[in-house]
Amino acid sequence: MAETICRALRDGAFEGEHAPALTIKDTIDTPLGSFVFNHILTQLTSNILAGKSQARGVVLVALSRPPSFYVELLKNKGFDVSSSSKWLRVLDCYSDPLGWKNKLLERGTVRNPYEETLLKTTLCKNLKELDKVLSSIIELGKEIVEEGKGRFAVAIDSVSEILRHSSLPSVARILSHLRSHDQVSCIFCLVHVDLHEAKVAATLEYLSTMHADVEPIVQRTNGQRNISEDLPMVEQSFKRGKFHVRFKRRNGRVRVMREELYVEGSGIKITEVSSEDGITAQSLVPKVQFNLDLSEKERLDRAKVVLPFEHQGTGKPIQIYDGRKSLNESENEEKQASVEKPQTTEDSGRGEIIYFRDSDDEMPDSDEDPDDDLDI
């Protein structure tokens, strides 16, 4: 399933359509969304360097991690960071999101509060001005494609950080604008849904063509938490979780897939759902507000209902013709009927139509036009 996501982001946008978008959602119960984000980022980078992706580079909007973190991430995955200026740009919204450090620098209170990295980085000094953030993303992307007709990918490591300083409509407008931009190949972002209202997740799902939920393996049934009892569950939630993905197809249908993910070192491993956890295909049925099964009492009551077309009140056993009688049975019934019926001189095989007038005033059928006497 993770390969399906990476393939969709790799293939990018079709001609005349918006760019595909992925929203990764996690909660405090299973805080593994950043691992999924890093996995997809490295997979897309690998496809870009191999020339298999529609995008020629990535614009990384760093909000929850400093640029130095991504330097180490790319190094550990075997990428040459020294040549990253050809395919990677970083918009640093982590170091000074509100411009406080810049004001201290202007006053001479501090010398240089910003760290230097091997990545080509642009500093964002006011995260509240989303229009400037959008312009910075587009400009960095155009630097990668060198003002050509190529496309670039956009990765946002935490939409939750943006929502701390901006409203939901503003964030939705920026994401929609990026999707509709003719040089954006794909977008993927991470959001911590338990920090926001339900409408935030609903809006991001609406704007996305794919959304992935990282859920705990074992759901808590009791709202009260006991630290001593939940400690093994908490440890497991930091290492293992369910990976639930919904794909919106171009024909309007939705495809649902489930897998499991495990944390291995600095990366993750995604495998098929194990049967020992009780996750079967039945769990993929959408939840509804009514019961589709009948109880034993309901089955008995349904069996007692006499349908209108059944023979009622004659004392004869109910016989319903199901259209599957053989020819021999039909012939035997016809022979029996002919024996019981009195013989007549007329041919019983011929039919006739007997017509009775409704009244004496009714004119008999005639070939004459009844309106011949009219002077028109």
Side-chain angles (χ1 to χ4, degrees), residues 275-332:
S275 58
E276 62 184 10
D277 293 320
I279 304 174
T280 60
Q282 185 65 25
S283 64
L284 301 181
V285 177
K287 296 180 180 179
V288 294
Q289 301 297 327
F290 50 88
N291 187 11
L292 297 177
D293 297 327
L294 295 177
S295 64
E296 188 63 29
K297 182 178 181 303
E298 291 172 339
R299 292 192 184 94
L300 294 176
D301 293 341
R302 184 181 65 176
K304 295 178 181 178
V305 175
V306 180
L307 300 179
F309 60 84
E310 296 177 348
H311 302 287
Q312 304 177 28
T314 60
K316 297 180 180 180
I318 298 174
Q319 296 181 356
I320 302 176
Y321 176 64
D322 59 1
R324 292 178 293 180
K325 291 184 178 181
S326 63
L327 293 176
N328 293 332
E329 293 176 351
S330 300
E331 292 176 356
N332 293 335

Side-chain angles (χ1 to χ4, degrees), residues 14 52 56 72 172 176 184 227 249 293 313 337 343 345 357:
F14 292 94
K52 299 179 181 180
R56 296 176 56 182
E72 296 300 323
S176 179
V184 174
I227 300 298
R249 296 185 176 181
D293 297 327
Q343 297 293 331
T345 56
R357 293 186 190 180

Side-chain angles (χ1 to χ4, degrees), residues 24-28 31 33-34 64 157-161 190-196 200:
I24 306 167
K25 300 181 296 182
D26 70 351
T27 62
I28 190 61
S34 58
S64 62
D157 66 358
S158 180
V159 176
S160 297
E161 294 293 333
L190 170 65
V191 62
H192 309 297
V193 291
D194 53 346
L195 299 179
H196 312 286
V200 173

